[in-house]
Amino acid sequence: MNMSGEERIAAPREAVWAALNDPDVLKACIPGCQSLTMKSPNELEATVKIKIGPVSANFSGEVTLSNLNPPESYTISGEGKGGIAGFAKGGADVRLTEDGDGTILSYDVKAQIGGKLAQLGSRLIDSTSKKLATQFFADLGAKLNGGTA
């Protein structure tokens, strides 16, 4: 699965960068996130509960940040295991560009899935992924503008 896009966030680039590196903000914004712990400045451990069509699973995994170029870009990569539901692994290149008083967040995601999840149709997986991304960016924007996610 490949997915790319851009989102305009009504906050300065430095604030968006800080939020994308704050485990408490991320936990509040990632749909289904049960826990998110910083193991080191570049490594996080996460548990996420997700439902795609008829398959529901708890994924546990690790996330690594690399190619750090604050406050402009980084690469995020990780792998999660969801028991009999399968696994997911992949990464995303994230770029932040100043846009007046806001920030354009661009992302390119490449992911692989296996197990029961892989048996679901690609349209269902793609549409659910887009829905989850939309929810994440809406929550991130709300959090950065003083709301609650």
Side-chain angles (χ1 to χ4, degrees):
M1 175 192 81
N2 295 331
M3 183 172 69
S4 61
E6 280 187 357
E7 295 290 331
R8 185 176 194 286
I9 299 171
R13 182 168 65 170
E14 288 75 15
V16 175
W17 178 265
L20 289 173
N21 288 279
D22 182 331
D24 292 331
V25 172
L26 290 174
K27 182 179 179 212
C29 296
I30 296 171
C33 188
Q34 307 292 304
S35 69
L36 186 66
T37 308
M38 204 83 166
K39 289 175 48 179
S40 77
N42 297 357
E43 296 177 306
L44 299 106
E45 221 170 44
T47 302
V48 177
K49 184 174 186 173
I50 195 162
K51 184 171 175 29
I52 300 177
V55 179
S56 184
N58 285 319
F59 284 90
S60 296
E62 294 186 2
V63 176
T64 304
L65 305 178
S66 59
N67 302 323
L68 290 141
N69 183 18
E72 293 177 20
S73 61
Y74 66 33
T75 299
I76 183 169
S77 55
E79 183 171 352
K81 293 181 174 55
I84 62 168
F87 70 88
K89 65 181 176 179
D93 291 317
V94 178
R95 291 170 309 286
L96 302 178
T97 308
E98 291 178 341
D99 182 42
D101 60 352
T103 303
I104 301 292
L105 186 154
S106 306
Y107 58 92
D108 290 303
V109 176
K110 290 182 174 65
Q112 295 177 306
I113 57 171
K116 281 189 177 180
L117 288 175
Q119 296 171 4
L120 299 173
S122 62
R123 284 195 316 211
L124 177 60
I125 291 169
D126 289 347
S127 68
T128 302
S129 298
K130 287 178 180 145
K131 185 177 109 183
L132 293 172
T134 299
Q135 182 67 52
F136 171 80
F137 290 117
D139 289 349
L140 181 65
K143 199 85 165 144
L144 282 163
N145 290 300
T148 55

